[in-house]
Amino acid sequence: MAIDNETVRRIAFLSRLKIEDDKLAATEEEFNKILHWVEDLNEVNTDNVEPLVSVNENNLTLRQDAVTDGNQVEAVLRNAPQKEYDYFVVPKVVE
């Protein structure tokens, strides 16, 4: 699989990246290098290799999920640029 300029533009649009026209060729080359590297990984023999859940063999200790401090709506929203009904107001990012 190879990436072309149109695919780079589509990926940039979907990921909300601004890629200048003079950088499209370099980005295309970088994407193709990444895909080539992934194809190289597919050639690695993983027979008799047990899948990992985590690279760490330590089990994490879980804590009780309990509220330790709360009811500080005013303090939390004090520095908010915009707030409404005790919530942060943010710009719409999904079309």
Side-chain angles (χ1 to χ4, degrees):
M1 176 181 196
I3 301 286
D4 59 358
N5 272 347
E6 194 56 40
T7 306
V8 171
R9 289 178 200 273
R10 179 83 173 134
I11 292 169
F13 173 77
L14 292 173
S15 57
R16 305 294 192 255
L17 295 173
K18 182 178 180 182
I19 300 176
E20 303 295 336
D21 288 340
D22 60 333
K23 303 285 185 189
L24 279 175
T27 306
E28 176 185 342
E29 183 179 329
E30 191 68 28
F31 282 174
N32 283 317
K33 284 181 185 177
I34 293 168
L35 287 176
H36 181 69
W37 179 73
V38 171
E39 288 172 3
D40 288 347
L41 286 178
N42 286 332
E43 294 176 8
V44 174
N45 183 2
T46 58
D47 295 341
N48 302 321
V49 176
E50 211 171 305
L52 295 175
V53 174
S54 173
V55 294
N56 298 324
E57 294 188 20
N58 303 3
N59 290 332
L60 297 176
T61 55
L62 301 177
R63 63 173 172 77
Q64 182 66 30
D65 189 14
V67 176
T68 56
D69 195 9
N71 202 16
Q72 297 185 16
V73 175
E74 290 178 19
V76 170
L77 293 175
R78 188 173 299 132
N79 293 325
Q82 286 185 301
K83 56 188 171 192
E84 185 175 315
Y85 304 115
D86 294 337
Y87 295 99
F88 290 100
V89 175
V90 295
K92 181 179 175 181
V93 293
V94 178
E95 295 178 14

